[in-house]
Amino acid sequence: MGNQEFMRKAIEMSLKSIDNGGGPFGAVIVKDGEIIAAASNSVTIDNDPTAHAEVNAIRMACKKLGTFDLSGCEIYASCEPCPMCLASIYWARIDKLYYANTKQDAEKIGFSDNFIYEEFAKPENMRSIKTTAMLRNEAIKAFEKWEEKDDKTEY
């Protein structure tokens, strides 16, 4: 299979998602020319706002490979990833991202990420979610313990 076939599988997952009651998004993760995960959006099915196709595919691929590091993998997304999914792709260390529909296409059908980008650009005190820092002097103990731990798995 080649790049176009992998993307067609992501698109197929997006179409199946609609039939199953999910959003119109699909994603495929490929390693060494083989699909290791294919997933769709299941936000409304699972009542999980993080169950985007890319995140679902990352979770599936990590379980299959037994690792949190997806270096050497590529992801094919039926739509340009939202900020959460793009961050997840970076955290997973996926080497390459391919996408089909654009975020402008998604916005036209009611899936806009603009408010998130706008919120990120604002100072904390101007964001719609009120944010308060507290108990840092207690919480820092976990960071100190982590820093001193010799046998930790870094990620």
Side-chain angles (χ1 to χ4, degrees), residues 48-65:
D48 179 352
T50 69
H52 290 201
E54 298 91 335
V55 172
N56 287 342
I58 288 168
R59 289 173 179 161
M60 192 180 295
C62 288
K63 273 189 181 173
K64 181 170 185 177
L65 297 178

Side-chain angles (χ1 to χ4, degrees), residues 45-137:
I45 296 165
D46 296 337
N47 292 317
D48 179 352
T50 69
H52 290 201
E54 298 91 335
V55 172
N56 287 342
I58 288 168
R59 289 173 179 161
M60 192 180 295
C62 288
K63 273 189 181 173
K64 181 170 185 177
L65 297 178
T67 181
F68 55 82
D69 184 344
L70 296 180
S71 297
C73 294
E74 301 174 336
I75 189 166
Y76 295 78
S78 66
C79 185
E80 188 174 356
C82 74
M84 176 186 70
C85 291
L86 186 57
S88 298
I89 289 164
Y90 275 98
W91 279 118
R93 298 183 181 104
I94 292 173
D95 292 349
K96 186 140 189 180
L97 161 67
Y98 300 88
Y99 67 86
N101 292 320
T102 66
K103 57 186 171 185
Q104 292 81 13
D105 295 329
E107 184 174 11
K108 287 178 186 172
I109 63 164
F111 294 95
S112 178
D113 302 325
N114 289 337
F115 76 99
I116 296 173
Y117 290 112
E118 290 166 4
E119 284 288 303
F120 286 170
K122 295 176 185 175
E124 275 185 10
N125 65 342
M126 301 292 289
R127 293 180 184 166
S128 62
I129 295 177
K130 301 303 174 208
T131 304
T132 304
M134 58 188 294
L135 299 179
R136 180 182 174 269
N137 60 330

